[in-house]
Amino acid sequence: MDQPVELSTPTPPAEGLVWLNGEFLDFARALISVDDRGFLFGDGVYEVVRVYDGHPFALDAHMARLRQSLNAIELEVSLTNEELAAIACELIDRSRLKEAELYLQITRGVARRLHLFPVGVPPTMVMTIRPVRVVPNEFREKGIVARTFPDERWERCDVKSINLLPNVLAKERAHRAGADEAILVRDGLITEGTSSNLFLFRDDELATPRIDHRILTGVTRGLVLRIARQKGYRIVERDIRVEELQAATEVFVSSTVMELLPVIEIDDVRIGSGQPGPVFRDLYATYREAVRAKS
Ligand code: PDD
């Protein structure tokens, strides 16, 4: 059998590059056991980091959240955040990709399929880098369409777990219904999108669901709030009833890959003017400035 070889060639790999348990590999050689607990149980956590002009954006915040997720699932990793960050930077450099997405996943390792934690088994650590998925300009200029779906996820959505089945199902159902994102609703309150946080603007108030176990503490969400605060917006982090969505003047979503995207229609009802609004434009312009300043 071929042994995985380290890529020492300076040729940029068109499709990206992988770091797997200490080795830099191309995708074809980065192989994981069928006994990996990520594969068998979804027993792992992950992060997605945007790379702009060859620099990882908000890497510290992603590493801090990764550590929180690891602690929440009681998964010990000997590498420090600084060491993981250094590997991420080396992967970016070796890939030579400038506009990219870095994916980082840590699982509870490879062991015979038993529910109990395996003893003395090292975690499986993977980072991949690929050219970023391009968000069509049209999405930003014309806005996206969303549909609401019941939030069928577990009670710890603050943990960035690789168990994404409810998210996947809601996204697929939204797509089949002609929508771009699913907005999840739990007990009559909106939580977040399948892979994004949600903001709503009405009556001079920028509202977003408050941080607790029902949502992910989005890195982009945090930055949007910081920007909005600096710009003097009135911000409220609170429960948001699903009926409030359609009455909003503006709705937008935020995530590492989507950045900010305006939502112009929800469940066949037009939001505000049916066009990306001034609050979205203002905050997105400043978000882009922050990105440029850091890259
Ligand atoms: N998703 N909420 C959920 C459920 C998410 O999966 C994500 C990100 C976010 C936004 O978080 P951030 O701003 O830190 O990217 C909110 C990533 C991008 C993904 O699964 O691809």
Side-chain angles (χ1 to χ4, degrees):
M1 233 176 91
D2 282 352
Q3 287 300 306
V5 290
E6 189 169 322
L7 276 184
S8 54
T9 154
T11 317
E15 290 307 314
L17 194 61
V18 182
W19 176 85
L20 172 60
N21 294 329
E23 285 183 295
F24 293 93
L25 304 160
D26 59 31
F27 276 87
R29 288 176 184 274
L31 303 175
I32 291 181
S33 166
V34 293
D35 271 338
D36 193 90
R37 288 178 65 96
F39 178 65
L40 293 175
F41 293 115
D43 188 357
V45 295
Y46 77 105
E47 280 296 323
V48 179
V49 181
R50 178 73 159 87
V51 175
Y52 293 100
D53 196 25
H55 301 284
F57 186 63
L59 187 58
D60 289 352
H62 285 285
M63 287 301 165
R65 187 173 64 189
L66 176 71
R67 195 57 60 176
Q68 282 170 9
S69 298
L70 288 168
N71 290 341
I73 70 161
E74 300 176 40
L75 178 46
E76 270 177 42
V77 171
S78 56
L79 296 181
T80 62
N81 284 9
E82 291 69 31
E83 285 165 333
L84 287 169
I87 295 165
C89 291
E90 187 173 352
L91 184 67
I92 297 168
D93 287 348
R94 285 184 183 233
S95 78
R96 301 195 161 195
L97 290 170
K98 296 289 179 204
E99 300 302 317
E101 252 171 83
L102 185 95
Y103 177 80
L104 202 159
Q105 175 172 314
I106 304 184
T107 74
R108 210 179 304 274
V110 177
R112 185 177 169 172
R113 189 185 178 281
L114 292 170
H115 286 65
L116 285 175
F117 290 0
V119 178
V121 169
T124 302
M125 293 188 280
V126 188
M127 291 188 208
T128 64
I129 186 161
R130 282 202 161 95
V132 71
R133 285 165 283 170
V134 177
V135 176
N137 261 345
E138 195 188 324
F139 280 14
R140 202 101 49 203
E141 281 157 18
K142 294 194 181 150
I144 63 167
V145 170
R147 292 200 88 80
T148 54
F149 288 87
D151 192 338
E152 296 173 340
R153 300 174 300 163
W154 70 335
E155 302 275 334
R156 289 302 308 274
C157 297
D158 53 322
V159 177
K160 204 158 169 56
S161 142
I162 58 174
N163 291 267
L164 291 173
L165 189 54
N167 308 54
V168 166
L169 290 173
K171 184 83 171 192
E172 181 64 26
R173 286 169 187 154
H175 175 70
R176 286 187 198 159
D180 307 295
E181 177 62 305
I183 295 173
L184 305 176
V185 179
R186 185 179 292 223
D187 301 329
L189 305 175
I190 56 166
T191 54
E192 57 188 335
T194 60
S195 60
S196 58
N197 290 110
L198 208 89
F199 290 83
L200 197 138
F201 186 78
R202 193 188 177 190
D203 295 336
D204 283 334
E205 177 195 274
L206 183 66
T208 192
R210 67 188 154 84
I211 292 294
D212 59 21
H213 62 280
R214 292 175 293 190
I215 67 165
L216 187 75
T217 312
V219 170
T220 320
R221 174 191 182 279
L223 192 57
V224 169
L225 287 177
R226 206 160 76 214
I227 289 170
R229 206 163 282 129
Q230 278 163 5
K231 299 198 114 191
Y233 284 91
R234 194 160 66 83
I235 299 160
V236 188
E237 295 176 70
R238 61 169 173 86
D239 286 345
I240 299 176
R241 283 175 294 104
V242 63
E243 304 83 61
E244 290 184 66
L245 274 178
Q246 292 173 343
T249 324
E250 289 188 42
V251 174
F252 58 90
V253 291
S254 71
S255 91
T256 293
V257 176
M258 296 184 214
E259 301 175 326
L260 275 66
L261 283 180
V263 180
I264 48 134
E265 190 185 299
I266 300 173
D267 295 341
D268 300 319
V269 174
R270 202 177 70 177
I271 305 301
S273 64
Q275 311 237 329
V279 175
F280 158 76
R281 286 186 198 288
D282 183 31
L283 294 175
Y284 183 58
T286 313
Y287 183 83
R288 290 297 312 179
E289 277 169 28
V291 164
R292 273 192 293 274
K294 291 268 163 62
S295 25

